[in-house]
Amino acid sequence: MKNPKFSHAFEVVTDLPEPLQPLRKLASNYYWTWDHEARDLFRSIDREEWDASDHNPILFMNGLSKDRLARLAADKVFVARLNQACNHLETYLTEETWFDKAYPGEREKTSIAYFCAEFGISEGLPIYSGGLGVLAGDHLKAASDLGLPLVGVGLLYNRGYFRQRLNHDGWQQEVYPQYDFYQMPLTLIRDHSDQPLRIEVEFPNRVVTCQVWRAEVGRIPLYLLDSNVLENQPTDQGITDTLYGGDEEMRIRQEIILGIGGMRALRAVGITPTVCHMNEGHAAFLSIERIRQFMSDNDCDFRTARQVIVNGNVFTTHTPVPAGFDLFSPALLDRYMRKNVDATGLSFDDFVKLGRIEPDNNGEAFNMAVLAMSNANYVNGVSKLHAEVTRSMFSSRWPGFPENEVPIDAVTNGIHTMTWVSHRMANLFDRYLGHEWRRSPEHPEAWKDVELIPDEDLWAVLEDQRGSLVRFVRKRLQKDLEQRTVNRADYGTLSGVLDPRILTVGFARRFATYKRASLMVADRERLKRLLFHDERPIQIVISGKSHPRDDGGKRIIQDLVKFINEGGARTRMVFLEDYDMQVARALVQGVDVWLNNPRRPHEASGTSGMKVVPNGGLNCSILDGWWDEGYEPGVGWAIGDRSDLHEEGHQDWLDSRSLYQLLESEIAPMFYHRVEHGMPRGWLQMVKRSILRLGPEFSNGRMVKQYTEMFYMPSTHAYSHLAEGKLKNAYQVLGWRDRIQASWRSVRVAKVEDTAVRSNPLGHQIQIRAYVELGDLTPEDVKVEAVIGKIGPNRELVDCEMTVLKTSGKDGERFVFDGTATCNKPGHQGYTVRVTPHHDAVNVPSELSLVAWE
């Protein structure tokens, strides 16, 4: 017979000797992922078993024998290190934080819920696929460092994202292991009767039940939903099976669990957020559930609840192309969301309109990013260039506003420095910078002494790190070889792969075609000459996965692997299978140059290149995403320029030539130019400038502070203001909106006068007077502005600045508005006057996109 099913369940845990009890506390909080001493402590117990556990401390501890535990308990040095590591954790969890100092008295009034489909906390919690998840994990870590009152919400995938294996032809194959959550640093949430907490979500003709797990990420709790419970049908048990797996129907199921189930999970554990941050559109359904909950709590209608909730929602988009958004057909949406929509009183047709750029276009699919955008007062892209691209994509939603005023801000991504910096480099910084760089890596002042680090010390660390990467690569290749042949591989046969003294280039990312991983092999003979140059050779380490359904990406991997194995590049080029956070750390800590060559402007931000910066690596990249704003001469290299030929083949050819030219004529010569004591002085100066200039700016301490100051706290205050006093302020705002919309057709700029003459000296002030008809509105209901800028070739205004005109009286039935503009730019200037609605509690134009132009 088949194995029997269980009728009763219980947990078994390793019984630790008394001196080792702090080990459980240390293992149960993911703080160890950014604390070098704690990581070294686990590694010191048994390095091979630690690596074999994928750095999962619970699984690792449960595998230790009683004899090994007894020896550790008797080891006074180890116990002292353990107690010190636990003391560091306790101090970290209890000390005063940036948030407490910056916002005294606000902690009890603020609750931020950060939703994301994936979180990259550690390779030992494999619920991430790549950049989005790692960014989300780093966000939680920085929020912990800064002390934000924030919780994370996601899904706990039973099989995670796939593990990558390459067959003998170099073709990617996907392997989905089964994970045991009880063998991870996770806690199953239980109710008052000690039973697993359950939340329910309505699906077509059934209810899906989920249980909730909690991971501790420093000070931040991360709640993860899991549908693999006996109450569910087998197909529903698999909803949280794999990340980004299945078809369109599985995707909508997962996103309903994330958004609607996530909001219900927060309620079940006693959390009512003031702010919900949707990190990408996967969680956008939360807006409907949050409105429903608010309606129930406050006995109000949909419109009133939405007015309040929109003020408390933040949406971050990471997608630079329309094809990257999740789209659902109205029929599928009807099947899965009608019950949830009906519970709010909103008609289903009106709900569908919330997910369309053109609400009345019945041929347009339902877009999750548009739904998130429609229900959030704060929207941002993840770099300055990405925000420009996103404003262009969505400008038709704000037809009366210039593209540069589309209300989509930019908050450029950053990295959690302590997670990614090597132990060697951290020790070097401690010696010459003190410890402030650890506490506040976003502060430029903390890095000011980088230039004082002796070249000899810095070069020694860089050489050691490169050597560690080479050893890591060889061990990894040995492991992969053993998996294929089922025989013990001879480590000696791999000793010719890579050289710890050679200039090392890293390239690792998702193998989407727009990332152009094949650009480096555009001219294979030229590349081989670079790899095997007599005096200035280079070597390249590559890693990355292609989406299971992306055969184009798989072909690029196969092509690279064939070139390595059959094209004579085996000793100078390596493809590392199964890219994960462990491989990423090894690469960013060990390479000399990080290569990134996407097709501009398709890289929303990118964070991998940021990770090499504090490790002493340099960037060579297309001017896209973060590098478009991070690059300047002397901190790295730019491939090509910002021009766009709109012909992909020719652009690829030009960019490949630019890359080869940089490697041949600038990068390799600088690395190998060693005229004094065998060190590349020019290279080391560039490394120091890179750390000094880019280290603080692209730390996500800066990023999370920006989210807090620009979005989280304004959203909390707006939400709380509208929700207080039995919704008195919300009803007042709704009345104002109704009055504005009913009267807006009567708003007109009737006449404009100014004191400008044909030729005005620089610095001269011009008086502007506008006569405005407001109908039933008052001057307090509007903002009148002169939009001043240079006159472009098509008579349009460019590089505009706004001058607010203040009311100064009436002229008959028209209101008079006056202001002063300064001629602070030479050239052909012009202006026009516009009127927009204004209310202190309404975010215009995000919430109300009305404008009357002269």
Side-chain angles (χ1 to χ4, degrees):
M1 62 176 285
K2 292 182 179 179
N3 291 335
K5 303 288 187 181
F6 72 85
S7 299
H8 310 277
F10 50 86
E11 296 177 42
V12 178
V13 297
T14 299
D15 186 21
L16 296 175
E18 184 60 32
L20 300 184
Q21 286 299 320
L23 200 58
R24 195 175 305 284
K25 178 181 179 180
L26 200 65
S28 298
N29 192 311
Y30 280 99
Y31 175 71
W32 63 264
T33 63
W34 69 96
D35 182 86
H36 288 114
E37 285 68 29
R39 270 187 279 182
D40 287 349
L41 187 78
F42 287 118
R43 187 182 296 114
S44 71
I45 296 172
D46 188 323
R47 181 165 192 146
E48 284 196 13
E49 289 302 317
W50 173 242
D51 288 341
S53 74
D54 283 330
H55 304 156
N56 174 350
I58 301 298
L59 179 64
F60 172 64
M61 287 195 313
N62 288 342
L64 297 174
S65 68
K66 283 191 174 183
D67 287 345
R68 186 73 180 107
L69 292 171
R71 289 197 302 272
L72 286 172
D75 186 338
K76 293 182 179 179
V77 174
F78 179 84
V79 172
R81 289 175 62 201
L82 172 59
N83 288 329
Q84 184 180 40
C86 272
N87 289 338
H88 286 167
L89 172 59
E90 188 60 31
T91 299
Y92 174 85
L93 294 176
T94 56
E95 65 188 0
E96 188 181 29
T97 66
W98 169 82
F99 184 86
D100 295 318
K101 296 173 186 175
Y103 298 97
E106 295 280 0
R107 179 172 296 279
E108 300 305 318
K109 307 172 189 175
T110 307
S111 177
I112 306 155
Y114 180 90
F115 286 71
C116 192
E118 51 174 303
F119 284 91
I121 308 294
S122 161
E123 59 271 23
L125 183 62
I127 56 170
Y128 65 94
S129 70
L132 176 69
V134 172
L135 184 279
D138 279 10
H139 193 109
L140 297 193
K141 293 173 183 178
S144 173
D145 291 342
L146 297 170
L148 267 63
L150 181 145
V151 301
V153 182
L155 301 181
L156 188 57
Y157 302 99
N158 203 32
R159 295 175 182 269
Y161 198 54
F162 71 90
R163 306 298 297 265
Q164 181 192 53
R165 297 287 179 263
L166 302 184
N167 67 16
H168 291 288
D169 292 327
W171 187 257
Q172 173 182 292
Q173 297 176 315
E174 296 85 33
V175 178
Y176 291 92
Q178 190 91 18
Y179 295 106
D180 182 355
F181 302 145
Y182 291 96
Q183 294 266 57
M184 293 180 177
L186 299 171
T187 302
L188 182 62
I189 304 295
R190 296 182 179 273
D191 60 21
H192 296 300
S193 58
D194 203 36
Q195 294 301 308
L197 184 70
R198 297 287 199 259
I199 61 103
E200 296 181 340
V201 180
E202 296 79 13
F203 271 38
N205 306 317
R206 65 195 188 278
V207 170
V208 173
T209 300
C210 294
Q211 57 190 3
V212 185
W213 301 75
R214 174 173 167 147
E216 302 291 345
V217 186
R219 300 180 176 95
I220 304 298
L222 169 59
Y223 294 100
L224 300 166
L225 281 74
D226 165 26
S227 71
N228 188 21
V229 296
L230 291 178
E231 292 93 321
N232 292 331
Q233 300 173 13
T235 53
D236 291 334
Q237 290 176 18
I239 292 174
T240 57
D241 198 32
T242 59
L243 172 61
Y244 303 142
D247 55 13
E248 182 186 31
E249 191 159 357
M250 180 58 76
R251 182 63 68 89
I252 198 172
R253 291 173 182 171
Q254 289 187 338
E255 296 185 0
I256 288 171
I257 295 293
L258 175 61
I260 295 176
M263 285 301 301
R264 293 181 183 178
L266 290 179
R267 170 139 307 200
V269 298
I271 295 173
T272 303
T274 56
V275 179
C276 285
H277 185 170
M278 296 169 277
N279 192 44
E280 203 39 279
H282 309 117
F285 289 137
L286 76 79
S287 58
I288 296 302
E289 174 62 15
R290 195 176 181 200
I291 289 170
R292 186 198 66 78
Q293 290 183 8
F294 192 89
M295 291 171 63
S296 175
D297 293 344
N298 294 276
D299 192 24
C300 65
D301 63 354
F302 175 88
R303 190 163 172 264
T304 306
R306 183 169 179 266
Q307 180 63 52
V308 180
I309 292 304
V310 164
N311 280 274
N313 285 344
V314 176
F315 170 52
T316 298
T317 173
H318 296 254
T319 308
V321 291
F325 296 114
D326 276 347
L327 306 176
F328 296 123
S329 68
L332 185 65
L333 205 64
D334 190 357
R335 282 185 59 210
Y336 278 91
M337 280 297 293
R338 181 172 285 275
K339 285 184 181 178
N340 294 297
V341 173
D342 287 348
T344 68
L346 179 69
S347 76
F348 188 77
D349 286 344
D350 286 341
F351 169 68
V352 173
K353 290 178 180 180
L354 291 174
R356 289 175 174 156
I357 296 177
E358 298 177 18
D360 296 318
N361 180 2
N362 292 329
E364 183 181 337
F366 183 90
N367 187 322
M368 290 293 283
V370 176
L371 177 65
M373 201 173 288
S374 298
N375 289 290
N377 251 359
Y378 294 97
V379 180
N380 72 283
V382 289
S383 69
K384 292 176 181 176
L385 178 59
H386 177 233
E388 289 179 22
V389 171
T390 307
R391 284 192 285 267
S392 175
M393 277 196 290
F394 291 101
S395 61
S396 59
R397 293 191 76 243
W398 290 271
F401 287 83
E403 192 171 288
N404 68 328
E405 286 192 63
V406 168
I408 297 172
D409 292 300
V411 178
T412 302
N413 284 343
I415 61 153
H416 188 253
T417 306
M418 288 308 303
T419 293
W420 297 102
V421 69
S422 75
H423 201 170
R424 290 187 184 95
M425 193 63 79
N427 288 339
L428 183 69
F429 291 152
D430 287 343
R431 282 164 55 197
Y432 294 103
L433 310 183
H435 290 276
E436 186 59 26
W437 74 274
R438 290 177 179 262
R439 290 187 289 267
S440 302
E442 71 277 9
H443 287 173
E445 186 70 14
W447 300 91
K448 61 182 175 60
D449 290 335
V450 161
E451 291 184 323
L452 302 180
I453 297 175
D455 285 353
E456 293 78 3
D457 292 358
L458 177 58
W459 183 240
V461 170
L462 297 182
E463 294 263 70
D464 286 345
Q465 290 183 160
R466 193 184 319 108
S468 292
L469 172 61
V470 170
R471 288 191 293 275
F472 174 86
V473 168
R474 291 173 181 174
K475 291 286 284 185
R476 190 87 175 192
L477 291 176
Q478 180 187 28
K479 177 183 170 184
D480 294 343
L481 189 60
E482 289 171 358
Q483 284 180 330
R484 287 197 190 89
T485 62
V486 201
N487 293 316
R488 182 75 178 171
D490 180 9
Y491 185 76
T493 63
L494 300 171
S495 60
V497 175
L498 304 186
D499 185 325
R501 299 161 298 179
I502 286 179
L503 171 63
T504 304
V505 177
F507 181 96
R509 57 204 10 93
R510 181 167 55 89
F511 269 68
T513 51
Y514 77 85
K515 292 179 181 281
R516 299 192 299 181
S518 57
L519 198 71
M520 66 181 79
V521 293
D523 186 334
R524 300 187 176 205
E525 291 306 313
R526 189 172 182 182
L527 175 61
K528 285 170 69 174
R529 289 197 298 272
L530 279 165
L531 295 173
F532 295 98
H533 193 283
D534 289 339
E535 297 176 351
R536 298 187 297 274
I538 70 169
Q539 56 194 9
I540 306 174
V541 183
I542 307 165
S543 192
K545 298 177 179 179
S546 172
H547 188 280
R549 292 193 295 274
D550 182 4
D551 284 352
K554 291 181 183 182
R555 278 191 289 272
I556 294 174
I557 293 174
Q558 184 181 48
D559 191 41
L560 284 170
V561 171
K562 283 189 173 181
F563 173 71
I564 292 169
N565 292 335
E566 301 171 10
R570 186 190 294 268
T571 59
R572 288 287 189 268
M573 284 181 72
V574 169
F575 186 96
L576 290 181
E577 292 181 25
D578 203 27
Y579 186 45
D580 65 1
M581 289 181 71
Q582 181 185 13
V583 174
R585 274 198 311 276
L587 284 172
V588 300
Q589 292 174 5
V591 300
D592 300 296
V593 175
W594 193 259
L595 176 62
N596 186 29
N597 42 239
R599 187 171 285 117
R600 191 178 192 271
H602 290 172
E603 185 84 284
S605 176
T607 56
S608 56
M610 301 175 189
K611 298 179 179 89
V612 304
V613 170
N615 288 299
L618 297 172
N619 278 274
C620 176
S621 176
I622 294 288
L623 290 169
D624 197 8
W626 80 281
W627 194 236
D628 186 63
E629 58 197 84
Y631 169 74
E632 63 182 42
V635 300
W637 295 272
I639 302 171
D641 53 28
R642 293 181 174 90
S643 60
D644 183 1
L645 301 181
H646 300 290
E647 203 288 298
E648 291 182 355
H650 189 49
Q651 187 69 59
D652 292 350
W653 183 84
L654 287 175
D655 289 342
S656 69
R657 293 305 177 269
S658 176
L659 171 60
Y660 291 136
Q661 178 68 20
L662 286 172
L663 288 169
E664 288 170 343
S665 303
E666 296 188 35
I667 297 174
M670 179 180 284
F671 180 83
Y672 287 106
H673 184 64
R674 305 176 189 183
V675 294
E676 186 182 350
H677 304 298
M679 285 181 293
R681 300 286 184 182
W683 185 273
L684 293 172
Q685 287 306 305
M686 185 176 274
V687 167
K688 292 176 186 179
R689 283 195 296 270
S690 169
I691 296 170
L692 192 64
R693 158 80 172 79
L694 305 176
E697 183 175 350
F698 296 100
S699 154
N700 73 344
R702 180 271 311 157
M703 179 192 83
V704 174
K705 280 184 178 179
Q706 277 189 279
Y707 276 112
T708 304
E709 293 162 352
M710 293 169 60
F711 304 149
Y712 294 161
M713 297 315 294
S715 291
T716 285
H717 295 154
Y719 170 88
S720 300
H721 173 72
L722 293 177
E724 68 185 11
K726 295 185 178 180
L727 306 181
K728 178 186 68 174
N729 296 325
Y731 289 126
Q732 190 271 329
V733 167
L734 284 172
W736 175 84
R737 287 176 66 118
D738 288 342
R739 193 159 49 82
I740 290 287
Q741 288 171 324
S743 302
W744 196 253
R745 288 187 178 182
S746 303
V747 175
R748 188 171 75 91
V749 180
K751 185 174 72 170
V752 176
E753 301 171 343
D754 62 56
T755 60
V757 294
R758 178 170 296 179
S759 180
N760 301 274
L762 195 64
H764 179 67
Q765 290 190 327
I766 297 171
Q767 305 303 314
I768 300 174
R769 170 168 288 183
Y771 299 83
V772 181
E773 297 172 2
L774 294 179
D776 295 332
L777 303 181
T778 69
E780 289 72 29
D781 293 323
V782 300
K783 179 163 66 173
V784 179
E785 296 170 302
V787 182
I788 307 165
K790 289 185 177 181
I791 298 176
N794 297 317
R795 301 177 62 83
E796 78 278 11
L797 292 173
V798 296
D799 298 329
C800 295
E801 296 178 356
M802 314 302 164
T803 293
V804 176
L805 308 183
K806 300 290 188 180
T807 181
S808 59
K810 291 190 73 173
D811 178 43
E813 295 301 312
R814 300 179 299 190
F815 289 91
V816 180
F817 291 83
D818 288 315
T820 301
T822 303
C823 301
N824 53 15
K825 294 178 182 177
H828 194 197
Q829 304 281 315
Y831 77 92
T832 189
V833 173
R834 72 177 181 190
V835 185
T836 55
H838 174 74
H839 192 290
D840 289 338
V842 177
N843 193 8
V844 178
S846 176
E847 207 177 328
L848 194 63
S849 58
L850 298 174
V851 60
W853 290 92
E854 179 185 352

